[in-house]
Amino acid sequence: MEHALTATPAWVSLAYLIAGVLFILALRGLSSPETSQQGNRYGMIGMVIAVATTLIVHGVGLPLILAAVAIGGGVGYVIAQRIQMTAMPQLVAGFHSLVGLAAVLVGVAAFLNPVAFGIADLIHVAVHFPGVQIDPTPVGTIAIIHPASRVEMGLGVAIGAITFSGSVIAFLKLNGNMGGAPILLPARHVINLGTLVAILALIAYFTTDQSAWVFFTILVLSFAIGFLLIIPIGGADMPVVVSMLNSYSGWAAAAMGFTLQNTAMIITGALVGSSGAILSYIMCTAMNRSFISVIAGGFGGDAAGPAGASGPAKAYKRGSAEDAAFVMKNAESVIIVPGYGMAVSQAQHALREMGDLLKKEGVNVKYAIHPVAGRMPGHMNVLLAEANVPYDEVFELEDINGEFAQADVAFVIGANDVTNPLAKTDKTSPIYGMPVLDVERAKTVLFVKRSMGGAGYAGVDNPVFYMDNTMMLLADAKKMVETINKDLG
């Protein structure tokens, strides 16, 4: 029997350890806007060290690897130059799918050639001729994958496949190729639970039988469950889904790190997986939802239809940009609430200009951010940072919600679901129990919306539209804010 493992040089372990420390510092830096750029630098340096170390250790096929890196880096550069900030959520989902697919491909390669990955023992096979006193005739060798490696491999390809197919569905939903409403299959919970149990049972059986049918059945079922898990999840839960898929991609990378015996992948994958899981928990807490209920899917399935789709038309007060400028110029305090409507129209720069003009008039301006506003965690924070909005003017829900009652104006720009008071009062609403920004408590609510003919991503009408203290500003968000700025100037 021959063993394929080789000892890892001490300097390699040290380099990977340094890279891991830099990744931890990167996560710490990214926890605050003020230190985020430094955190990004730490992460970039750590990745350079990890990649360079791996290339030095595994020098075989280096030209081909460098060519692949050049192609991938070139594609990434082009995407980074062309991508709009409004498309960032689907871009993140797309990148998650690639991480999952990479884990799957590594797992398949390791299964097909385990000796090259150092996860198998070679056993010589010989033929004994009965009644003949001669040495056995050797006929070849069989690679027996280590039982522990089979577990790692099975979990790696399963999580990778779930990440890939789930991320593809998330991408399609976020990109508008699929509707945001949940797609509810009959007996979906039974099907999903049965499929997950089958995957785990096959991984356990894989430790005793490394047949190809077992491995590829795990792979196929995992692709299927990723699809089945995401299609029932509605639009209101998409920020949690993006965070959850981020966590999955990390665990897939960590599992493949064990297969490749690569310390850097294990550390990096564990950091991404754990941080993504923590973020998912925080997001669920912000929505007053359990993680299991999100995974079970169907949130928003019983939502009301879009505003104005049925029933008598409701009365509302419509205002103009001139009206909005007059009200805000004469206010003492204005709280701006950005949402996905701001992202779609790319109004963040005009919004910052509006804030600057109001501050010149002596108005106290603050920005209120809901944790799940937009389509991914931190979506609004990223857009406001891009527009150079001062960090000290941006506040999270729990820090600013009590100030709406004292605010003269709440300027809501495309944030429907996260300002909907039905979440506090209507137990039949699919968003019931989700903490929301109390914009209706402000003396005046200026609500920027393209038209009254559509509801938010969760498909729920918002009573704030029809309140006496609300003035609806119906127009494209960017054009409306730019017109307000002209009147303020």
Side-chain angles (χ1 to χ4, degrees), residues 89-91 93-94 97 164-180 183 227 230-231 238 245 457:
Q90 50 264 50
L91 177 68
S97 73
F164 173 74
S165 55
S167 297
V168 169
I169 298 301
F171 173 87
L172 294 175
K173 282 177 173 281
L174 291 167
N175 202 46
N177 302 105
M178 293 179 64
I183 301 175
F227 172 81
I230 303 303
I231 59 170
M238 288 314 293
L245 291 170
Y457 201 43

Side-chain angles (χ1 to χ4, degrees), residues 234-240 282-290 293-294 299-300 370-375 397 401 415-427 429-438 440 456-462:
D237 279 339
M238 288 314 293
V240 181
I282 293 173
M283 301 287 285
C284 287
T285 301
M287 297 172 63
N288 194 29
R289 304 259 291 142
S290 71
S293 66
V294 173
F299 186 41
H370 193 284
V372 296
R375 298 294 184 267
L397 177 146
N401 222 17
N416 183 29
D417 298 330
V418 298
T419 62
N420 196 326
L422 290 179
K424 298 178 286 187
T425 59
D426 186 359
K427 293 185 178 181
S429 172
I431 61 172
Y432 177 72
M434 182 178 79
V436 293
L437 292 162
D438 298 330
E440 75 277 5
Y457 201 43
V460 185
D461 199 9
N462 192 338

Side-chain angles (χ1 to χ4, degrees), residues 119-188:
I119 60 173
D121 294 322
L122 286 177
I123 297 180
H124 295 287
V125 178
V127 177
H128 292 265
F129 295 95
V132 179
Q133 298 298 322
I134 60 174
D135 292 335
T137 302
V139 296
T141 58
I142 297 178
I144 303 299
I145 303 174
H146 308 146
S149 296
R150 297 186 202 179
V151 175
E152 299 159 4
M153 188 187 304
L155 288 174
V157 297
I159 300 173
I162 292 171
T163 304
F164 173 74
S165 55
S167 297
V168 169
I169 298 301
F171 173 87
L172 294 175
K173 282 177 173 281
L174 291 167
N175 202 46
N177 302 105
M178 293 179 64
I183 301 175
L184 306 180
L185 300 177
R188 66 186 185 279

Side-chain angles (χ1 to χ4, degrees), residues 256-277:
M256 286 301 101
F258 282 104
T259 299
L260 295 173
Q261 303 170 39
N262 188 299
T263 307
M265 283 187 66
I266 297 172
I267 295 174
T268 307
L271 287 173
V272 173
S274 57
S275 60

